[in-house]
Amino acid sequence: MLKKAIKKTALPLFASCGITALALLLRQKICLTVANKHADITPHTIYETDRVSMAYEVTGYGTPVVLLHSMHLGASRREWRPQVERLEKEYRVYQIDMVGYGQSHKPTKPWTAYQYATILHKFITDVIKEPAVWVAANGSADIALVLAMLYPKDIKKLVLISPEGIGQGFATSEDVQPLQKLWLPVVGTQFFLDNTTKKSIQRMAETLFWQTERMPVDFVENLYQNARYGKGAKASFAAYRTRFFAADTKRAFSELQIPFLLIWGEKNQTNPVKYLEEAEQMQDKGAFLLFEDTASLPHLENPKAFYRILIEFLK
């Protein structure tokens, strides 16, 4: 009797769980399908190497300047649009979508800073073919420092906006612990979708600005679109969530021999200004600048002032 009762209870329960799981899988598939129908169609050029493609745009003439966007969720080369409109009048400007971002290839596994530095070295060797000025923000500033350490001849001058590795260093075991959960096909996918809703992206975007009214009108929409686009979008999310691409760049920065400008937003909450003070103790060369009333993205919060400083440094 007891066995029959258990059987009668268990069968409907299993059936209910199966239906719920099926419904969840269907919902996830619909969300991802919809996301992949809204691709960025901005005209661009593709650089391919080792079965990896990297999207970029090049405009203007003169000394090459390479712009590397931040590595937050949904980032892309669009971050540099306000600067490109001015820079391209005097320089040959390369805007790159880092691998895993924007219109570039999105690998199914996160990349390290060293992998990024290697592909950027190949890009400058094959495409630019001469040393360039590199301007890099936040996470990509650390990648530029790794590039400077491994391939110093690729860099003519270096502009760094609040590199995260100077203060935070490599990802810790605690940082990367969520990777196992994120790789799970159903649970991991749901976690990815829950954390890339427009509301979640909006909250993250607001932490990047000190004065949110300075945020570009289409900023959140572009982040949301890029965060879910592509088969490897979940891996890009995992890299951001776990700081997988992080590197300890203290040594690379302290050993810099090329002209550099280090910029920090005074109100940067995620990467506090105290690390600018630490950086000044590491180097007796280069220039250091504190941008008042800006957070992680001074080049977006105060683009005119940023451009004036950048041009002065470049000349």
Side-chain angles (χ1 to χ4, degrees):
M1 291 290 291
L2 182 59
K3 285 184 180 179
K4 286 184 180 179
I6 293 172
K7 208 174 202 182
K8 284 182 181 180
T9 305
L11 286 174
L13 181 62
F14 287 140
S16 176
C17 290
I19 292 169
T20 302
L22 190 61
L24 184 61
L25 279 168
L26 183 60
R27 179 175 173 273
Q28 290 177 355
K29 185 163 181 152
I30 291 170
C31 286
L32 294 172
T33 301
V34 170
N36 281 284
K37 284 184 177 179
H38 294 84
D40 186 348
I41 57 172
T42 307
H44 61 282
T45 304
I46 290 290
Y47 169 66
E48 291 192 45
T49 180
D50 301 329
R51 291 180 289 182
V52 174
S53 62
M54 195 161 66
Y56 71 97
E57 291 180 64
V58 55
T59 54
Y61 299 92
T63 301
V65 176
V66 183
L67 304 175
L68 301 180
H69 61 74
S70 306
M71 303 289 280
H72 56 253
L73 200 57
S76 72
R77 67 185 189 277
R78 286 175 178 267
E79 182 179 314
W80 288 105
R81 289 291 158 83
Q83 301 302 324
V84 172
E85 293 172 4
R86 300 177 178 92
L87 277 173
E88 65 186 4
K89 295 175 184 177
E90 299 184 61
Y91 298 92
R92 180 159 40 107
V93 183
Y94 292 84
Q95 307 165 66
I96 295 176
D97 276 340
M98 302 292 271
V99 172
Y101 293 83
Q103 292 171 296
S104 288
H105 171 73
K106 291 192 176 181
T108 54
K109 291 184 179 179
W111 273 29
T112 66
Y114 295 92
Q115 286 175 291
Y116 279 112
T118 299
I119 197 171
L120 290 175
H121 169 65
K122 290 179 179 179
F123 179 81
I124 198 168
T125 302
D126 297 339
V127 178
I128 302 179
K129 299 179 180 179
E130 62 176 300
V133 176
W134 294 77
V135 186
N138 302 305
S140 72
D142 292 296
I143 292 166
L145 282 168
V146 174
L147 179 71
M149 182 174 65
L150 298 177
Y151 308 103
K153 291 183 180 179
D154 289 350
I155 302 176
K156 193 172 182 180
K157 288 185 175 183
L158 191 57
V159 179
L160 303 165
I161 302 172
S162 54
E164 296 163 4
I166 288 179
Q168 300 177 47
F170 288 110
T172 65
S173 55
E174 187 177 341
D175 288 329
V176 299
Q177 193 174 1
L179 272 179
Q180 290 182 337
K181 178 183 177 182
L182 293 171
W183 288 149
L184 295 173
V186 179
V187 176
T189 301
Q190 192 58 46
F191 187 79
F192 160 64
L193 292 173
D194 289 343
N195 285 272
T196 52
T197 63
K198 194 168 283 190
K199 283 186 179 180
S200 297
I201 297 291
Q202 174 80 38
R203 286 194 297 270
M204 182 207 69
E206 288 173 355
T207 67
L208 303 173
F209 291 81
W210 175 244
Q211 299 181 53
T212 53
E213 62 270 19
R214 291 180 176 178
M215 189 186 297
V217 176
D218 59 351
F219 187 71
V220 172
E221 184 61 38
N222 289 331
L223 296 187
Y224 174 64
Q225 177 179 293
N226 286 321
R228 287 187 172 184
Y229 181 75
K231 289 183 179 179
K234 191 167 82 167
S236 297
F237 168 75
Y240 163 76
R241 191 79 183 194
T242 62
R243 298 183 61 244
F244 193 86
F245 53 78
D248 189 328
T249 49
K250 295 183 187 71
R251 178 185 167 192
F253 177 73
S254 64
E255 294 178 357
L256 273 180
Q257 296 297 318
I258 55 177
F260 73 84
L261 170 62
L262 180 62
I263 294 173
W264 223 281
E266 178 192 24
K267 307 295 186 180
N268 192 328
Q269 301 297 314
T270 56
N271 194 15
V273 72
K274 67 178 182 179
Y275 296 126
L276 172 63
E277 296 164 6
E278 289 185 18
E280 288 183 276
Q281 300 299 317
M282 299 177 201
Q283 266 282 8
D284 56 2
K285 305 179 185 70
F288 299 82
L289 180 66
L290 183 65
F291 248 74
E292 295 181 350
D293 297 326
T294 64
S296 299
L297 306 171
H299 49 300
L300 275 179
E301 278 206 76
N302 196 345
K304 289 182 180 178
F306 184 90
Y307 175 73
R308 286 196 299 270
I309 296 296
L310 180 60
I311 285 295
E312 184 180 338
F313 174 73
L314 295 184
K315 289 183 176 179

